[in-house]
Amino acid sequence: MSATIAIVEDERAIAENYRDALRRSGYRVDLYSARIEAMEAFRQRLPDLAVIDVGLGSEVEGGFELCRELRAMAPSLPILFLTARDSELDIISGLRLGADDYLTKDISLPHMQARINALLRRVSVLRDQSDEGESLTQGKLELDISRLHCHWDGSVVDLTVTEFWIVHALAKRPGHVKSRSQLMEAARVVLDDNTITSHVKRIRKKFQALDNEFNAIGTAYGMGYRWQL
């Protein structure tokens, strides 16, 4: 069954252009022009991936609010921002809210589709691995790939798909330094170094919210990150 992609974009011509391109690639596509409209639909049925603009009609940051609401509802759902807003502050804000990727509208359609394909492949790979019942335990950390669940000392840590892959890549080989490019490869996504850094900071904050002494993700300055026991 083909994946369903939800596009939340208030400019109809742009939304239809994205929709037509994705349909040619075999995806089912639903269009929404406003945050409230999209959330009402998502409460009935979640898509397999959401593409969201930041500004939605009169809501200048409606996309950010939608991401926050949707992430609370579905911690592992792939979310991608596609917007004209390209400031570093906006990009960091989007990632801090839990988006898996952040693209600007000057990106080509083939490049956009490649990033969407990459996000959906990661979910597919996780599901394939779940058939094998793969799990990982390192000290207080427990990763259950069959459910995309992460626990720290028995408490649930809500990670996005990208964050889950990064934690998995680090914890799989404690003590070994993973460069930012290696973490990108493990997460099966094309991101820049600053974006990887933002994801790692967000991951740390999620663990520290449960354990203020959490220091399992160490920084190897100029090299990358390691999982330290």
Side-chain angles (χ1 to χ4, degrees), residues 143-221:
L143 295 178
D144 181 351
I145 293 178
S146 64
R147 298 179 178 84
L148 278 184
H149 283 180
C150 173
H151 289 82
W152 178 258
D153 199 19
S155 297
V156 174
V157 187
D158 285 329
L159 299 178
T160 69
V161 177
T162 298
E163 293 165 353
F164 191 94
W165 274 116
I166 290 174
V167 171
H168 184 268
L170 291 170
K172 190 162 58 173
R173 300 192 69 188
H176 289 254
V177 175
K178 290 284 187 181
S179 68
R180 289 173 176 80
S181 61
Q182 288 175 318
L183 290 177
M184 276 188 264
E185 182 180 352
R188 291 168 174 82
V189 69
V190 180
L191 302 169
D192 59 32
D193 286 356
N194 289 335
T195 304
I196 286 291
T197 300
S198 295
H199 278 301
V200 171
K201 287 181 179 178
R202 180 176 168 83
I203 291 167
R204 282 174 171 153
K205 286 182 178 179
K206 288 184 175 183
F207 281 96
Q208 288 166 353
L210 299 172
D211 179 357
N212 58 17
E213 295 183 358
F214 175 84
N215 63 354
I217 300 178
T219 301
Y221 293 98

Side-chain angles (χ1 to χ4, degrees), residues 48-226:
D48 295 297
L49 180 144
V51 178
I52 304 173
D53 192 3
V54 174
L56 295 173
S58 62
E59 294 189 280
V60 178
E61 297 193 346
F64 286 155
E65 180 61 28
L66 176 60
C67 179
R68 183 185 294 109
E69 293 174 320
L70 187 53
R71 181 56 74 217
M73 182 189 301
S76 62
L77 178 75
I79 298 175
L80 182 153
F81 275 110
L82 184 58
T83 177
R85 291 169 55 166
D86 61 357
S87 74
E88 184 176 5
L89 178 60
D90 283 329
I91 295 170
I92 292 172
S93 296
L95 295 173
R96 283 178 175 171
L97 289 171
D100 292 287
D101 208 345
Y102 192 108
L103 307 177
T104 55
K105 289 181 179 177
D106 56 359
I107 195 170
S108 69
L109 285 173
H111 192 173
M112 178 197 73
Q113 291 185 73
R115 301 284 273 265
I116 287 173
N117 292 343
L119 280 172
L120 289 171
R121 276 199 305 273
R122 286 187 293 149
V123 176
S124 178
V125 169
L126 282 172
R127 287 171 179 166
D128 290 345
Q129 290 182 343
S130 72
D131 292 338
E132 303 169 8
E134 183 179 342
S135 61
L136 176 67
T137 301
Q138 293 288 3
K140 296 180 180 180
L141 177 73
E142 296 180 18
L143 295 178
D144 181 351
I145 293 178
S146 64
R147 298 179 178 84
L148 278 184
H149 283 180
C150 173
H151 289 82
W152 178 258
D153 199 19
S155 297
V156 174
V157 187
D158 285 329
L159 299 178
T160 69
V161 177
T162 298
E163 293 165 353
F164 191 94
W165 274 116
I166 290 174
V167 171
H168 184 268
L170 291 170
K172 190 162 58 173
R173 300 192 69 188
H176 289 254
V177 175
K178 290 284 187 181
S179 68
R180 289 173 176 80
S181 61
Q182 288 175 318
L183 290 177
M184 276 188 264
E185 182 180 352
R188 291 168 174 82
V189 69
V190 180
L191 302 169
D192 59 32
D193 286 356
N194 289 335
T195 304
I196 286 291
T197 300
S198 295
H199 278 301
V200 171
K201 287 181 179 178
R202 180 176 168 83
I203 291 167
R204 282 174 171 153
K205 286 182 178 179
K206 288 184 175 183
F207 281 96
Q208 288 166 353
L210 299 172
D211 179 357
N212 58 17
E213 295 183 358
F214 175 84
N215 63 354
I217 300 178
T219 301
Y221 293 98
M223 299 174 65
Y225 303 94
R226 66 164 64 90

Side-chain angles (χ1 to χ4, degrees), residues 7-71:
I7 296 177
V8 189
E9 164 64 62
D10 63 340
E11 294 189 45
R12 190 71 186 183
I14 292 176
E16 290 176 350
N17 191 32
Y18 296 152
R19 178 197 62 193
D20 294 345
L22 291 169
R23 281 181 174 175
R24 286 194 294 270
S25 296
Y27 294 115
R28 291 175 297 175
V29 183
D30 296 324
L31 299 184
Y32 306 99
S33 60
R35 178 181 61 85
I36 293 176
E37 174 194 15
M39 276 306 300
E40 287 176 350
F42 295 158
R43 290 190 183 99
Q44 299 299 315
R45 183 177 180 180
L46 287 170
D48 295 297
L49 180 144
V51 178
I52 304 173
D53 192 3
V54 174
L56 295 173
S58 62
E59 294 189 280
V60 178
E61 297 193 346
F64 286 155
E65 180 61 28
L66 176 60
C67 179
R68 183 185 294 109
E69 293 174 320
L70 187 53
R71 181 56 74 217

